[in-house]
Amino acid sequence: DAKTTQPTSMDCAEGRAANLPCNHSTISGNEYVYWYRQIHSQGPQYIIHGLKNNETNEMASLIITEDRKSSTLILPHATLRDTAVYYCIVRFPVSNDYKLSFGAGTTVTVRA
Amino acid sequence: GAVVSQHPSWVICKSGTSVKIECRSLDFQATTMFWYRQFPKQSLMLMATSNEGSKATYEQGVEKDKFLINHASLTLSTLTVTSAHPEDSSFYICSASAPPANEKLFFGSGTQLSVL
């Protein structure tokens, strides 16, 4: 699976949009971009995933650049409960050896 | 989304004893489950892949005789930490992919193991 690079940490204000960048310059044509988050002392939570097109769900939006070498996760209206470690992962969506490899992620702190 | 239940949430045990952690898929069948370990302030590290009805596949450096995995049914996988020692103290997390497309992994809430 392609390696990803994320900032170590970032702060954002409650109620504002939080934009989390991720670089994945070695991504291959069939690899998807996944985002998970982990709130302290809990298991990771799936947020969103995409291949080429921008995606949106009830939690967030995913913007993938045209060359697919980077992406941005957008939390439209950050709340204090969004404070967590956010992981950007690229991988094939379905395979016989389905597993996720987690990097260090971005520690996001939402401040009132 | 699909629900993965993990039990217990936390456990304290004496050194030398064995501890069993259960991972259940509550509303779907999971032919494959994954076990991760996470030390404080570190990321998740994959320990092993658990396959229903067959032997687990362990990642390099993970002792299969130390961490016994049993996946006897399509909804239950167990991880047994045998002869636990203080260095085994960690946060253990299981996960499973849900049908039909198996595109996403759903995670349990984790088990905090403390070995005294």
Side-chain angles (χ1 to χ4, degrees):
Chain A
D1 295 338
K3 187 176 180 179
T4 62
T5 305
Q6 299 177 250
T8 303
S9 64
M10 62 184 297
D11 288 0
C12 61
E14 186 181 22
R16 304 293 294 272
N19 298 315
L20 283 62
C22 179
N23 287 322
H24 31 79
S25 58
T26 60
I27 191 170
S28 66
N30 295 326
E31 286 185 304
Y32 281 58
V33 179
Y34 283 78
W35 282 84
Y36 283 77
R37 73 179 183 183
Q38 185 179 25
I39 296 171
H40 183 62
S41 297
Q42 297 183 24
Q45 176 188 23
Y46 166 83
I47 301 174
I48 199 167
H49 75 285
L51 180 63
K52 296 180 181 178
N53 299 323
N54 298 336
E55 302 287 344
T56 295
N57 63 21
E58 65 277 5
M59 290 184 68
S61 295
L62 174 61
I63 308 299
I64 302 174
T65 57
E66 192 169 344
D67 64 7
R68 303 208 326 118
K69 292 185 177 182
S70 66
S71 61
T72 300
L73 178 74
I74 301 173
L75 307 178
H77 304 286
T79 70
L80 299 179
R81 288 177 293 181
D82 291 323
T83 292
V85 179
Y86 287 76
Y87 297 99
C88 170
I89 303 166
V90 293
R91 69 168 310 281
F92 296 102
V94 178
S95 72
N96 292 330
D97 189 17
Y98 188 105
K99 57 186 178 183
L100 289 178
S101 297
F102 287 81
T106 297
T107 299
V108 174
T109 303
V110 180
R111 302 190 186 280
Chain B
V3 178
V4 175
S5 175
Q6 191 172 339
H7 178 80
S9 298
W10 58 269
V11 58
I12 301 173
C13 69
K14 293 182 179 180
S15 186
T17 61
S18 295
V19 174
K20 180 184 285 187
I21 302 169
E22 293 187 349
C23 180
R24 296 181 183 272
S25 55
L26 295 187
D27 50 0
F28 65 98
Q29 294 183 331
T31 56
T32 303
M33 291 185 175
F34 303 89
W35 288 95
Y36 290 82
R37 179 169 55 182
Q38 185 176 33
F39 293 107
K41 299 188 183 302
Q42 295 186 22
S43 189
L44 286 79
M45 292 184 58
L46 181 66
M47 299 176 66
T49 301
S50 169
N51 300 297
E52 187 269 335
S54 64
K55 292 183 178 180
T57 303
Y58 291 82
E59 296 299 304
Q60 190 173 9
V62 178
E63 301 175 57
K64 62 180 180 181
D65 295 330
K66 172 78 171 175
F67 300 99
L68 299 180
I69 292 174
N70 186 299
H71 195 156
S73 77
L74 288 172
T75 59
L76 174 63
S77 176
T78 61
L79 169 68
T80 301
V81 182
T82 63
S83 187
H85 288 93
E87 57 266 30
D88 298 322
S89 298
S90 185
F91 192 54
Y92 293 87
I93 311 168
C94 70
S95 67
S97 58
N102 292 327
E103 290 182 320
K104 314 168 191 174
L105 271 190
F106 294 94
F107 288 80
S109 55
T111 298
Q112 181 63 53
L113 171 63
S114 297
V115 184
L116 304 179

